[in-house]
């Protein structure tokens, strides 16, 4: 990793679509404290970019990410508890930033996705993987635990499955990951992965950007909540609010007038 070849790259894939790319293939895209900070900065940048409507998280090379860099782990093992706590909070911040990004996030996974990389996948809204992708929550093999990624991984695969894979650290396939709910779709190879990604971005670009943001937040706010009068009232207020919003009015008007809405890409209008 050098200044000429940064480990994290922002790339405009197409109009409205920005990629956050792990670019450290010689280290199997393993991450350390510096890369974590750069990922947070990149995600903050795309979150604030009004021209970005869809975010893609992917990696260069054969592997999505081997998780934590060995040299980084060796260095942290010699640090104090307070230093380790500060370090862990940075990784937790990365996961939270990705999970709550106010735009749709597509994760593309090939090869190995181990340790913290499973957390990255769990924080994406949609995850596509190649047939040869392998996943592993490997922390207990090192006498550690997948602590900072656990809120997202448990929500993705469920408590019962997490109890198995957190404890065994066994490697599981893309097919198993889809069965567990960690990923959504499997593609034959990297070319097919890119094609599938393009299809999804096209689909997402048809939808109202403010509605997507609100729908994503809605999932967070109703998930695992008791079905109370307050929850029902909250959902009623949200649909009423968005119906009278500028985007809601435009979307309903376009539907009734049988025309494309203003946010649809020109080539689809």
């Amino acid at each position: 990793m050098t200044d000429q070849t940064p480990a994290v790259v922002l790339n405009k894939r197409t109009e409205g679509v920005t990629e956050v790319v792990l670019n450290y293939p010689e280290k199997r895209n393993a991450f350390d404290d510096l890369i974590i900070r750069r990922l947070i900065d990149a995600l903050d940048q795309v979150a604030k970019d009004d021209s970005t409507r869809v975010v893609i998280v992917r990696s260069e090379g054969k592997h999505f990410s081997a998780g934590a860099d060995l040299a980084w782990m060796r260095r942290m093992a010699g640090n104090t508890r307070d230093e380790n706590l500060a370090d862990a909070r940075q990784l937790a911040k990365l996961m939270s930033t990705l999970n709550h990004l106010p735009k749709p996030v597509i994760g593309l996974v090939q090869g190995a996705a181990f340790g913290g990389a499973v957390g990255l996948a769990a924080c994406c809204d949609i995850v596509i993987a190649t047939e040869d992708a392998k996943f592993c929550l490997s922390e207990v093999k090192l006498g550690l635990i997948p602590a900072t990624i656990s809120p997202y991984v448990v929500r993705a695969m469920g408590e019962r499955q997490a109890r198995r894979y957190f404890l065994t650290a066994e490697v599981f396939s893309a097919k198993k990951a889809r069965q567990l709910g960690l990923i959504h779709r499997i593609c034959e190879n990297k070319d097919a992965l890119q094609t599938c990604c393009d299809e999804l971005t096209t689909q997402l670009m048809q939808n109202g950007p403010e509605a997507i943001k609100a729908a994503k937040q809605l999932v967070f706010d109703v998930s695992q909540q008791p079905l109370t009068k307050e929850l029902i009232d909250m959902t009623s207020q949200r649909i009423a609010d968005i119906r009278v919003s500028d985007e809601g009015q435009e979307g309903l008007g376009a539907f009734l007038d049988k025309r494309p809405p203003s946010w649809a890409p020109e080539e689809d209008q």
Side-chain angles (χ1 to χ4, degrees), residues 16-19 52-56 103-106 201 204-205:
V17 181
T18 301
E19 297 180 327
T52 295
R53 291 175 52 188
V54 178
V55 179
I56 296 167
K103 302 172 190 285
V105 181
I106 303 173
T201 55
L204 288 165
M205 292 289 285

Side-chain angles (χ1 to χ4, degrees), residues 125-141:
D125 299 308
I126 305 168
V127 183
I128 322 165
T130 57
E131 286 182 350
D132 66 349
K134 301 292 182 185
F135 300 81
C136 182
L137 292 150
S138 53
E139 286 82 356
V140 292
K141 285 187 176 181

